[in-house]
Every structure is written in structure tokens, then in C-alpha cells.
């Protein structure tokens, strides 16, 4: 159901980094009210959020390698930690707070997808440039396409996340009725098992397993 293209791994190696992708597959998920304390504790554990972080610097290298500008569109973990440093990470619900807390604490990009909304195999590839991506622009639903060569997650229907982990599409986003999800943890030159295990511990689910995709 999931795959990572060699061309993406080769892109990372070309700029001196080794990429790893882990999937946390959770079934029987139970959502609930958000937990602001969970986010507060993660921010405290993360230390100085405004200081340079080697993992985020590595992501900047990779973003530049496929033509993105990390100052304008940073990876999801960098964007989240910047918001956290300004006190701008609101509590949403238990599931979203859980993976945001882990992302902030470990400086690791994490994306959550509703598995029931996925079509076929979700794969990490470089874009042709004509794939549809459903998003919101100026407050209204819109469809756009990635740049050719951009790293994207996509399934058999369309793009599910642009610029590797920058912006998720609307179709597969987690909702209050999601009971089966995949959480994608992505790392460069780092061990992703500690954040994956931390996420599993926070999820209220009948089962949650960790699978290495790359």
C-alpha cells in the first residue's frame, strides 16, 4: 500500500543525506478533545525552538535539491516549530495534537492520512508536473499541480502532499471520524524509531504498528 521511489532516495544521497521513512499504521483510532498540556510539554522538551537544528538544516538541503525554497516553504517540522516558538500552535484534537507534539519535540516531519480515503498505493515520487492537488486558495477550494521534479506523496488518484511534507491535500486529511490512519515519519541521517514509538504511546487505538518504508 506504500512505496518510496529510488529516485527520491538518490536525490537525498546526491546532497549528502540518507533518507528514512517510517509508517505508523493505526486501526481502531479513537479521537477526542485536544490536550494543550501535551503540546506544552513537547515545546518545553524541545528546548530553544529558534536555534538552528541539524535535522532541519538537512531538510533545507533536500528541499533546495528539488527546486523548493525552504525560506518560503519550509518542511513541516520547521514550520511547526517556528509556530510553536511564537506560541501559535493551537490544540485541535487528540490525534492531531499527538503527532504535532512528537514533531515539535523531535524536529521530525510527520504527516497523517486517513487510510479509508487513500486509493491504491501511496508513494513518494518526483512529480511529472501534471498531477492534481486539491487545496484551499484564498479561502476557497482549488486544484493546482506540483512543479516538475518536485518530491510529492501521491496515490492512484492525485497528490496527497506537496513538497514532500510541506502541505497536505484535503481529500486524505484526518477528520473527527477517522478510525484508520497512517502517520508518515520522515528523517534524514536520523533514527526515527524514538519518535515513532513516542507517537504510538500517545495514540488511543486498538492497534498501532511501525513499518519501515525506506
Amino acid at each position: 500500500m506504500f512505496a518510496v521511489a529510488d529516485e527520491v532516495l538518490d536525490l537525498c544521497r546526491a546532497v549528502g543525506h540518507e533518507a528514512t521513512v517510517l509508517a505508523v499504521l493505526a486501526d481502531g483510532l479513537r479521537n477526542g478533545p485536544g490536550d494543550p498540556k501535551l503540546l506544552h510539554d513537547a515545546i518545553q522538551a524541545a528546548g530553544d525552538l529558534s536555534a538552528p537544528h541539524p535535522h532541519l538544516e538537512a531538510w533545507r538541503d533536500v528541499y533546495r535539491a528539488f527546486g523548493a525554497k525552504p525560506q518560503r516553504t519550509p518542511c513541516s517540522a520547521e514550520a511547526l516549530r517556528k509556530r510553536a516558538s511564537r506560541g501559535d500552535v493551537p490544540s485541535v484534537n487528540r490525534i492531531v495534537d499527538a503527532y504535532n507534539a512528537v514533531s515539535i519535540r523531535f524536529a521530525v516531519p510527520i504527516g497523517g492520512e486517513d487510510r479509508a480515503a487513500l486509493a491504491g498505493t501511496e508513494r513518494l515520487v518526483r512529480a511529472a508536473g501534471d498531477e492534481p492537488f486539491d487545496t484551499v486558495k484564498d479561502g476557497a477550494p482549488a486544484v493546482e499541480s506540483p512543479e516538475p521534479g518536485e518530491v510529492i506523496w501521491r496515490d492512484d488518484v492525485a497528490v496527497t502532499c506537496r513538497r514532500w511534507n510541506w502541505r497536505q491535500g484535503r481529500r486524505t486529511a484526518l477528520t473527527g471520524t477517522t478510525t484508520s490512519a497512517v502517520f508518515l515519519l520522515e528523517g534524514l541521517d536520523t533514527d526515527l524509531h524514538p519518535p515513532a514509538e513516542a507517537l504510538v504511546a500517545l495514540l488511543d487505538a486498538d492497534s498501532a504498528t511501525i513499518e519501515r518504508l525506506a
Side-chain angles (χ1 to χ4, degrees), residues 29-53:
L29 271 172
R30 288 171 288 275
N31 209 344
D35 186 351
K37 186 178 184 300
L38 190 65
L39 294 169
H40 173 78
D41 290 349
I43 291 169
Q44 294 302 307
D48 185 359
L49 293 170
S50 62
H53 193 289

PDB file of all heavy atoms in Angstrom, residues 29-53:
ATOM      1  N   LEU A  29      -8.768   3.747  15.821  1.00  0.00           N
ATOM      2  CA  LEU A  29      -8.414   5.013  16.463  1.00  0.00           C
ATOM      3  C   LEU A  29      -9.631   5.641  17.129  1.00  0.00           C
ATOM      4  O   LEU A  29     -10.731   5.628  16.584  1.00  0.00           O
ATOM      5  CB  LEU A  29      -7.878   5.999  15.417  1.00  0.00           C
ATOM      6  CG  LEU A  29      -6.389   6.006  15.108  1.00  0.00           C
ATOM      7  CD1 LEU A  29      -6.133   6.908  13.918  1.00  0.00           C
ATOM      8  CD2 LEU A  29      -5.568   6.468  16.305  1.00  0.00           C
ATOM      9  N   ARG A  30      -9.382   6.190  18.297  1.00  0.00           N
ATOM     10  CA  ARG A  30     -10.428   6.954  18.985  1.00  0.00           C
ATOM     11  C   ARG A  30      -9.906   8.370  19.200  1.00  0.00           C
ATOM     12  O   ARG A  30      -8.882   8.571  19.850  1.00  0.00           O
ATOM     13  CB  ARG A  30     -10.771   6.292  20.323  1.00  0.00           C
ATOM     14  CG  ARG A  30     -11.556   4.988  20.156  1.00  0.00           C
ATOM     15  CD  ARG A  30     -11.689   4.245  21.448  1.00  0.00           C
ATOM     16  NE  ARG A  30     -10.416   3.658  21.860  1.00  0.00           N
ATOM     17  CZ  ARG A  30      -9.956   2.482  21.442  1.00  0.00           C
ATOM     18  NH1 ARG A  30     -10.673   1.755  20.600  1.00  0.00           N
ATOM     19  NH2 ARG A  30      -8.796   2.025  21.866  1.00  0.00           N
ATOM     20  N   ASN A  31     -10.629   9.318  18.632  1.00  0.00           N
ATOM     21  CA  ASN A  31     -10.242  10.718  18.765  1.00  0.00           C
ATOM     22  C   ASN A  31     -10.931  11.299  19.994  1.00  0.00           C
ATOM     23  O   ASN A  31     -11.721  10.633  20.659  1.00  0.00           O
ATOM     24  CB  ASN A  31     -10.625  11.493  17.507  1.00  0.00           C
ATOM     25  CG  ASN A  31      -9.701  12.674  17.262  1.00  0.00           C
ATOM     26  OD1 ASN A  31      -8.967  13.106  18.148  1.00  0.00           O
ATOM     27  ND2 ASN A  31      -9.722  13.194  16.053  1.00  0.00           N
ATOM     28  N   GLY A  32     -10.640  12.532  20.303  1.00  0.00           N
ATOM     29  CA  GLY A  32     -11.254  13.182  21.442  1.00  0.00           C
ATOM     30  C   GLY A  32     -10.807  14.623  21.518  1.00  0.00           C
ATOM     31  O   GLY A  32     -10.123  15.134  20.618  1.00  0.00           O
ATOM     32  N   PRO A  33     -11.167  15.304  22.578  1.00  0.00           N
ATOM     33  CA  PRO A  33     -10.761  16.698  22.729  1.00  0.00           C
ATOM     34  C   PRO A  33      -9.247  16.843  22.732  1.00  0.00           C
ATOM     35  O   PRO A  33      -8.507  15.925  23.106  1.00  0.00           O
ATOM     36  CB  PRO A  33     -11.351  17.092  24.087  1.00  0.00           C
ATOM     37  CG  PRO A  33     -12.434  16.096  24.332  1.00  0.00           C
ATOM     38  CD  PRO A  33     -11.998  14.824  23.694  1.00  0.00           C
ATOM     39  N   GLY A  34      -8.788  17.999  22.299  1.00  0.00           N
ATOM     40  CA  GLY A  34      -7.358  18.271  22.287  1.00  0.00           C
ATOM     41  C   GLY A  34      -6.771  18.311  23.696  1.00  0.00           C
ATOM     42  O   GLY A  34      -7.493  18.402  24.693  1.00  0.00           O
ATOM     43  N   ASP A  35      -5.446  18.244  23.747  1.00  0.00           N
ATOM     44  CA  ASP A  35      -4.737  18.229  25.019  1.00  0.00           C
ATOM     45  C   ASP A  35      -3.644  19.295  24.995  1.00  0.00           C
ATOM     46  O   ASP A  35      -2.511  19.017  24.601  1.00  0.00           O
ATOM     47  CB  ASP A  35      -4.129  16.843  25.260  1.00  0.00           C
ATOM     48  CG  ASP A  35      -3.494  16.697  26.631  1.00  0.00           C
ATOM     49  OD1 ASP A  35      -3.373  17.711  27.336  1.00  0.00           O
ATOM     50  OD2 ASP A  35      -3.121  15.566  26.994  1.00  0.00           O
ATOM     51  N   PRO A  36      -3.965  20.528  25.373  1.00  0.00           N
ATOM     52  CA  PRO A  36      -2.962  21.595  25.339  1.00  0.00           C
ATOM     53  C   PRO A  36      -1.710  21.271  26.147  1.00  0.00           C
ATOM     54  O   PRO A  36      -0.605  21.688  25.777  1.00  0.00           O
ATOM     55  CB  PRO A  36      -3.717  22.796  25.935  1.00  0.00           C
ATOM     56  CG  PRO A  36      -5.157  22.501  25.689  1.00  0.00           C
ATOM     57  CD  PRO A  36      -5.284  21.019  25.823  1.00  0.00           C
ATOM     58  N   LYS A  37      -1.849  20.523  27.235  1.00  0.00           N
ATOM     59  CA  LYS A  37      -0.678  20.174  28.046  1.00  0.00           C
ATOM     60  C   LYS A  37       0.303  19.314  27.256  1.00  0.00           C
ATOM     61  O   LYS A  37       1.528  19.423  27.427  1.00  0.00           O
ATOM     62  CB  LYS A  37      -1.102  19.445  29.316  1.00  0.00           C
ATOM     63  CG  LYS A  37       0.057  19.169  30.277  1.00  0.00           C
ATOM     64  CD  LYS A  37      -0.413  18.501  31.543  1.00  0.00           C
ATOM     65  CE  LYS A  37       0.749  18.314  32.525  1.00  0.00           C
ATOM     66  NZ  LYS A  37       1.839  17.479  31.966  1.00  0.00           N
ATOM     67  N   LEU A  38      -0.229  18.462  26.404  1.00  0.00           N
ATOM     68  CA  LEU A  38       0.627  17.615  25.562  1.00  0.00           C
ATOM     69  C   LEU A  38       1.533  18.481  24.693  1.00  0.00           C
ATOM     70  O   LEU A  38       2.745  18.233  24.571  1.00  0.00           O
ATOM     71  CB  LEU A  38      -0.255  16.716  24.695  1.00  0.00           C
ATOM     72  CG  LEU A  38       0.416  15.592  23.911  1.00  0.00           C
ATOM     73  CD1 LEU A  38       1.016  14.569  24.849  1.00  0.00           C
ATOM     74  CD2 LEU A  38      -0.605  14.936  22.989  1.00  0.00           C
ATOM     75  N   LEU A  39       0.970  19.501  24.087  1.00  0.00           N
ATOM     76  CA  LEU A  39       1.748  20.412  23.252  1.00  0.00           C
ATOM     77  C   LEU A  39       2.722  21.228  24.102  1.00  0.00           C
ATOM     78  O   LEU A  39       3.884  21.414  23.719  1.00  0.00           O
ATOM     79  CB  LEU A  39       0.807  21.337  22.479  1.00  0.00           C
ATOM     80  CG  LEU A  39      -0.077  20.660  21.432  1.00  0.00           C
ATOM     81  CD1 LEU A  39      -1.148  21.624  20.939  1.00  0.00           C
ATOM     82  CD2 LEU A  39       0.758  20.147  20.267  1.00  0.00           C
ATOM     83  N   HIS A  40       2.260  21.701  25.249  1.00  0.00           N
ATOM     84  CA  HIS A  40       3.128  22.487  26.142  1.00  0.00           C
ATOM     85  C   HIS A  40       4.345  21.673  26.566  1.00  0.00           C
ATOM     86  O   HIS A  40       5.483  22.171  26.526  1.00  0.00           O
ATOM     87  CB  HIS A  40       2.333  22.935  27.362  1.00  0.00           C
ATOM     88  CG  HIS A  40       3.181  23.609  28.408  1.00  0.00           C
ATOM     89  ND1 HIS A  40       3.598  24.922  28.297  1.00  0.00           N
ATOM     90  CD2 HIS A  40       3.711  23.141  29.577  1.00  0.00           C
ATOM     91  CE1 HIS A  40       4.340  25.231  29.340  1.00  0.00           C
ATOM     92  NE2 HIS A  40       4.423  24.177  30.136  1.00  0.00           N
ATOM     93  N   ASP A  41       4.128  20.431  26.959  1.00  0.00           N
ATOM     94  CA  ASP A  41       5.238  19.585  27.406  1.00  0.00           C
ATOM     95  C   ASP A  41       6.223  19.317  26.268  1.00  0.00           C
ATOM     96  O   ASP A  41       7.443  19.281  26.477  1.00  0.00           O
ATOM     97  CB  ASP A  41       4.700  18.263  27.950  1.00  0.00           C
ATOM     98  CG  ASP A  41       3.959  18.428  29.266  1.00  0.00           C
ATOM     99  OD1 ASP A  41       4.029  19.524  29.860  1.00  0.00           O
ATOM    100  OD2 ASP A  41       3.284  17.466  29.686  1.00  0.00           O
ATOM    101  N   ALA A  42       5.706  19.142  25.055  1.00  0.00           N
ATOM    102  CA  ALA A  42       6.579  18.903  23.902  1.00  0.00           C
ATOM    103  C   ALA A  42       7.430  20.125  23.604  1.00  0.00           C
ATOM    104  O   ALA A  42       8.628  20.008  23.293  1.00  0.00           O
ATOM    105  CB  ALA A  42       5.744  18.529  22.678  1.00  0.00           C
ATOM    106  N   ILE A  43       6.837  21.298  23.697  1.00  0.00           N
ATOM    107  CA  ILE A  43       7.577  22.536  23.446  1.00  0.00           C
ATOM    108  C   ILE A  43       8.672  22.715  24.485  1.00  0.00           C
ATOM    109  O   ILE A  43       9.807  23.096  24.160  1.00  0.00           O
ATOM    110  CB  ILE A  43       6.604  23.737  23.432  1.00  0.00           C
ATOM    111  CG1 ILE A  43       5.709  23.662  22.187  1.00  0.00           C
ATOM    112  CG2 ILE A  43       7.372  25.054  23.459  1.00  0.00           C
ATOM    113  CD1 ILE A  43       4.555  24.633  22.215  1.00  0.00           C
ATOM    114  N   GLN A  44       8.376  22.400  25.744  1.00  0.00           N
ATOM    115  CA  GLN A  44       9.387  22.507  26.793  1.00  0.00           C
ATOM    116  C   GLN A  44      10.517  21.507  26.564  1.00  0.00           C
ATOM    117  O   GLN A  44      11.698  21.826  26.753  1.00  0.00           O
ATOM    118  CB  GLN A  44       8.738  22.262  28.160  1.00  0.00           C
ATOM    119  CG  GLN A  44       7.734  23.327  28.577  1.00  0.00           C
ATOM    120  CD  GLN A  44       8.359  24.715  28.632  1.00  0.00           C
ATOM    121  OE1 GLN A  44       9.374  24.919  29.286  1.00  0.00           O
ATOM    122  NE2 GLN A  44       7.747  25.670  27.944  1.00  0.00           N
ATOM    123  N   ALA A  45      10.182  20.299  26.138  1.00  0.00           N
ATOM    124  CA  ALA A  45      11.192  19.265  25.910  1.00  0.00           C
ATOM    125  C   ALA A  45      12.073  19.575  24.707  1.00  0.00           C
ATOM    126  O   ALA A  45      13.224  19.130  24.636  1.00  0.00           O
ATOM    127  CB  ALA A  45      10.512  17.908  25.715  1.00  0.00           C
ATOM    128  N   ALA A  46      11.547  20.354  23.762  1.00  0.00           N
ATOM    129  CA  ALA A  46      12.288  20.652  22.531  1.00  0.00           C
ATOM    130  C   ALA A  46      13.420  21.642  22.755  1.00  0.00           C
ATOM    131  O   ALA A  46      14.336  21.740  21.929  1.00  0.00           O
ATOM    132  CB  ALA A  46      11.337  21.182  21.466  1.00  0.00           C
ATOM    133  N   GLY A  47      13.383  22.394  23.843  1.00  0.00           N
ATOM    134  CA  GLY A  47      14.438  23.374  24.106  1.00  0.00           C
ATOM    135  C   GLY A  47      14.233  24.645  23.300  1.00  0.00           C
ATOM    136  O   GLY A  47      13.103  25.065  23.055  1.00  0.00           O
ATOM    137  N   ASP A  48      15.350  25.231  22.851  1.00  0.00           N
ATOM    138  CA  ASP A  48      15.305  26.506  22.132  1.00  0.00           C
ATOM    139  C   ASP A  48      14.826  26.280  20.700  1.00  0.00           C
ATOM    140  O   ASP A  48      15.595  25.841  19.841  1.00  0.00           O
ATOM    141  CB  ASP A  48      16.687  27.159  22.142  1.00  0.00           C
ATOM    142  CG  ASP A  48      16.683  28.549  21.509  1.00  0.00           C
ATOM    143  OD1 ASP A  48      15.601  28.988  21.049  1.00  0.00           O
ATOM    144  OD2 ASP A  48      17.742  29.183  21.461  1.00  0.00           O
ATOM    145  N   LEU A  49      13.575  26.591  20.451  1.00  0.00           N
ATOM    146  CA  LEU A  49      12.996  26.340  19.126  1.00  0.00           C
ATOM    147  C   LEU A  49      13.510  27.298  18.061  1.00  0.00           C
ATOM    148  O   LEU A  49      13.327  27.041  16.867  1.00  0.00           O
ATOM    149  CB  LEU A  49      11.472  26.437  19.213  1.00  0.00           C
ATOM    150  CG  LEU A  49      10.792  25.340  20.031  1.00  0.00           C
ATOM    151  CD1 LEU A  49       9.321  25.681  20.246  1.00  0.00           C
ATOM    152  CD2 LEU A  49      10.918  23.994  19.337  1.00  0.00           C
ATOM    153  N   SER A  50      14.122  28.391  18.471  1.00  0.00           N
ATOM    154  CA  SER A  50      14.626  29.357  17.494  1.00  0.00           C
ATOM    155  C   SER A  50      16.072  29.065  17.085  1.00  0.00           C
ATOM    156  O   SER A  50      16.589  29.684  16.153  1.00  0.00           O
ATOM    157  CB  SER A  50      14.538  30.772  18.069  1.00  0.00           C
ATOM    158  OG  SER A  50      15.344  30.898  19.225  1.00  0.00           O
ATOM    159  N   ALA A  51      16.718  28.118  17.768  1.00  0.00           N
ATOM    160  CA  ALA A  51      18.113  27.789  17.450  1.00  0.00           C
ATOM    161  C   ALA A  51      18.181  26.896  16.216  1.00  0.00           C
ATOM    162  O   ALA A  51      17.267  26.099  15.956  1.00  0.00           O
ATOM    163  CB  ALA A  51      18.772  27.099  18.640  1.00  0.00           C
ATOM    164  N   PRO A  52      19.253  26.990  15.423  1.00  0.00           N
ATOM    165  CA  PRO A  52      19.411  26.089  14.272  1.00  0.00           C
ATOM    166  C   PRO A  52      19.390  24.633  14.728  1.00  0.00           C
ATOM    167  O   PRO A  52      19.920  24.294  15.789  1.00  0.00           O
ATOM    168  CB  PRO A  52      20.773  26.479  13.703  1.00  0.00           C
ATOM    169  CG  PRO A  52      21.012  27.873  14.179  1.00  0.00           C
ATOM    170  CD  PRO A  52      20.371  27.952  15.533  1.00  0.00           C
ATOM    171  N   HIS A  53      18.777  23.779  13.923  1.00  0.00           N
ATOM    172  CA  HIS A  53      18.702  22.357  14.245  1.00  0.00           C
ATOM    173  C   HIS A  53      19.292  21.566  13.083  1.00  0.00           C
ATOM    174  O   HIS A  53      18.888  21.764  11.933  1.00  0.00           O
ATOM    175  CB  HIS A  53      17.250  21.939  14.488  1.00  0.00           C
ATOM    176  CG  HIS A  53      17.103  20.600  15.118  1.00  0.00           C
ATOM    177  ND1 HIS A  53      17.371  19.425  14.446  1.00  0.00           N
ATOM    178  CD2 HIS A  53      16.734  20.234  16.385  1.00  0.00           C
ATOM    179  CE1 HIS A  53      17.157  18.402  15.245  1.00  0.00           C
ATOM    180  NE2 HIS A  53      16.779  18.864  16.431  1.00  0.00           N
TER     181      HIS A  53
END
